[in-house]
Amino acid sequence: VQLQASGGGLVQAGGSLRLSCAASGRALSTYNMGWFRQGPGKERGFVASITKNGESTVYADSVKGRFTISRDNAKNTVYLQMNSLTPDDTAVYYCAADEGAYSRYTTRIKSRYDYWGQGTLVTVSS
């Protein structure tokens, strides 16, 4: 599967953005999906994940209550709605696909994911 992330850009603190991750080559419903981000000088870290059927989600504590992950398998697309953005959210955001069994305990681990998109840059100004 190929993943294409989009929707990044420059936004003021307090603003919102919606990222999209479009899949091609294989049905998105085959995969649990995750979003990760890598800020300046930081390691890539977990943001959110969602099961294949969209019934279960997990969020990093830093984004809980502000970000929402969702998916539309008919459109082969996963979304990340980001609200109340702060400068600390500035990062390159990556979507990733996991074709294994979903686990709330391991979904945060980068090595769980088999395929990665190219990333989209989100910059939040103060």
Side-chain angles (χ1 to χ4, degrees), residues 10-30:
L10 175 64
V11 63
Q12 288 189 331
S16 298
L17 279 176
R18 188 176 80 156
L19 306 184
S20 298
C21 176
S24 60
R26 196 171 173 189
L28 193 69
S29 57
T30 304

Side-chain angles (χ1 to χ4, degrees), residues 23-42:
S24 60
R26 196 171 173 189
L28 193 69
S29 57
T30 304
Y31 304 97
N32 304 306
M33 295 297 295
W35 285 97
F36 288 75
R37 66 185 181 184
Q38 187 166 13
K42 298 180 181 179

Side-chain angles (χ1 to χ4, degrees), residues 36-81:
F36 288 75
R37 66 185 181 184
Q38 187 166 13
K42 298 180 181 179
E43 292 191 1
R44 192 175 301 188
F46 174 78
V47 175
S49 67
I50 188 168
T51 52
K52 297 172 185 177
N53 59 10
E55 289 187 353
S56 183
T57 57
V58 174
Y59 294 93
D61 288 345
S62 58
V63 306
K64 202 173 294 183
R66 299 188 298 123
F67 290 13
T68 302
I69 187 171
S70 61
R71 65 192 299 160
D72 186 339
N73 286 340
K75 294 184 178 180
N76 253 16
T77 304
V78 174
Y79 304 98
L80 185 68
Q81 177 66 43

Side-chain angles (χ1 to χ4, degrees), residues 5 34-38 44 92-96 116-120:
W35 285 97
F36 288 75
R37 66 185 181 184
Q38 187 166 13
R44 192 175 301 188
V92 177
Y93 283 73
Y94 299 88
C95 59
W116 291 81
Q118 86 292 353
T120 185

